[in-house]
Amino acid sequence: MAMEFTTSPGRTILVREGDITRVPVDAIANAANAALAGGGGVDGAIHRAGGPEIMRELDEIRRRIGGCPTGGAVATGAGRLPAQHVFHAVGPVYRDGRHGEPEQLASCYRRCLALADERQVRTISFPAISTGVYGYPLREATEIAVREVIAHLANPASGIQKAIFVPFGQQAYDVYVEICRANLPASR
Ligand code: AR6
């Protein structure tokens, strides 16, 4: 299952259901935690598929700067993943949406997109950050993700040509497609 949308000439958003570790890109965003300690969910899948090199790099980052604040992201290599970079983004734990969660989640996407442009990344993939154990309602989180990516791709100075949302499961896929459809023309 996949659906592509055009954001501006030559730039697209692809929604592709499945396991983000199997989608070849320049950079993969990860849904990490503030301790950068690894965990379950998509984080666990990324470390399993990427191998121990990614955690070694995170150990080094922890030694240097401690962890990563909520709303931030740090970059490592991608080990054995079909990518060059992993951006470990720390999404908010959802309480009720009135404790800064929307701004923190938007900040995760912006940080990843900025890290991507600093590294001349052309293709980047995103899981649905914060929508698993962190409890962010999927629809609200997807509205934010789609809005931030569209805004970034509208900047001609960005080198990103394709952003790929990788929702896990049919239900999540349907939500992403619906929200992209409401905001963008389909290209195929
Ligand atoms: N590919 C794509 N999406 C996935 C995959 C996968 N292989 N596996 C799960 N998802 P979560 P969070 C989806 O819990 O809510 C970790 O322990 C999943 O269906 O992975 O940001 C970290 O270490 C959900 O929609 O991340 C943190 O401690 C989405 O990924 C904490 O969880 C995010 O779910 C972060 O929680």
Side-chain angles (χ1 to χ4, degrees):
M1 273 181 294
M3 173 94 64
E4 195 166 56
F5 299 86
T6 302
T7 66
S8 55
R11 293 186 177 189
T12 56
I13 289 177
L14 181 69
V15 182
R16 180 172 164 181
E17 191 279 326
D19 177 356
I20 200 167
T21 67
R22 317 276 286 220
V23 180
V25 282
D26 295 331
I28 300 176
N30 181 19
N33 54 65
L36 303 174
V42 70
D43 196 9
I46 282 174
H47 283 282
R48 270 194 307 279
E53 181 55 35
I54 297 175
M55 189 51 80
R56 275 200 287 273
E57 285 190 53
L58 288 174
D59 290 342
E60 185 53 41
I61 290 170
R62 267 200 305 275
R63 264 196 295 278
R64 258 192 1 252
I65 60 169
C68 176
T70 301
V74 301
T76 66
R80 294 192 294 264
L81 288 162
Q84 270 71 58
H85 313 280
V86 177
F87 303 148
H88 305 265
V90 182
V93 176
Y94 189 83
R95 290 167 69 186
D96 56 7
R98 295 186 197 154
H99 289 80
E101 300 96 321
E103 181 46 42
Q104 288 169 333
L105 186 61
S107 170
C108 280
Y109 284 92
R110 285 200 290 267
R111 276 305 298 150
C112 288
L113 293 160
L115 289 171
D117 276 332
E118 287 165 15
R119 288 163 181 76
Q120 279 87 47
V121 160
R122 292 155 71 97
T123 56
I124 180 167
S125 62
F126 289 99
I129 297 168
S130 277
T131 68
V133 297
Y134 281 3
Y136 213 114
L138 180 67
R139 182 169 292 273
E140 288 167 52
T142 305
E143 295 271 9
I144 291 167
V146 169
R147 182 191 75 211
E148 292 302 328
V149 168
I150 290 174
H152 190 88
L153 293 185
N155 177 359
S158 172
I160 299 172
Q161 295 184 340
K162 183 183 280 200
I164 307 177
F165 289 120
V166 190
F168 208 46
Q170 168 88 49
Q171 274 189 326
Y173 173 82
D174 289 345
V175 169
Y176 269 84
V177 166
E178 183 194 325
I179 291 170
C180 286
R181 259 208 192 107
N183 289 282
L184 291 165
S187 64
R188 79 165 83 110

